[in-house]
Amino acid sequence: QILPVESGGGSVQGGGSLRLSCAASGYMYLGNCIGWFRQAPGAEREGVASILIGGSSPYYADSVKGRFTISRDNVKNMVYLQMSDLKPEDTAMYYCAKKTRVSDGDCYEFLGYTFWGQGTQVTVSS
């Protein structure tokens, strides 16, 4: 079974930047959505950004809008999450996930995603 693999996390000070990578080989079909999610200790998992592989309009949660950018490289089979102006409240384990738009719902709906990756930890200090 092909699993997305996240990388790029780390520890940064507030205001810093990180770029997360999701190796999504096998999932980069035009009708697939790739989403980034995060989960802080004691909190529920939340969706932060999503993109349709065959589309051009990414979607962002309000909490990250203007600071995070999701992008894809269909040749390298990678999806990225560029995070800027990081804040302590961005501290979480970050995961990427996929779903098929036609059967699982629109990309901006952070439901119906399937993920099995181990995640990558992002820690932002004040």
Side-chain angles (χ1 to χ4, degrees):
Q1 199 168 17
I2 301 169
L3 306 179
V5 176
E6 308 91 348
S7 62
S11 297
V12 297
Q13 288 190 328
S17 299
L18 284 172
R19 188 178 80 155
L20 305 184
S21 299
C22 172
S25 178
Y27 292 117
M28 300 292 283
Y29 299 108
L30 298 181
N32 274 2
C33 309
I34 299 292
W36 281 99
F37 295 76
R38 65 186 182 187
Q39 187 167 21
E44 293 187 356
R45 187 172 58 213
E46 64 170 332
V48 297
S50 63
I51 192 167
L52 178 66
I53 297 305
S56 59
S57 298
Y59 178 79
Y60 301 96
D62 289 342
S63 57
V64 306
K65 200 171 293 183
R67 300 187 299 121
F68 289 13
T69 302
I70 188 171
S71 63
R72 67 194 185 286
D73 185 327
N74 290 19
V75 175
K76 295 182 179 179
N77 294 323
M78 299 292 291
V79 177
Y80 304 100
L81 185 68
Q82 177 67 47
M83 307 186 296
S84 302
D85 190 22
L86 283 162
K87 304 176 181 181
E89 50 263 42
D90 295 318
T91 295
M93 187 73 80
Y94 283 73
Y95 304 87
C96 61
K98 74 92 178 178
K99 68 175 180 179
T100 302
R101 183 184 185 190
V102 65
S103 59
D104 301 327
D106 282 321
C107 299
Y108 61 83
E109 299 172 344
F110 288 121
L111 297 173
Y113 279 85
T114 303
F115 50 101
W116 301 273
Q118 79 287 356
T120 186
Q121 177 68 38
V122 172
T123 303
V124 184
S125 58
S126 58

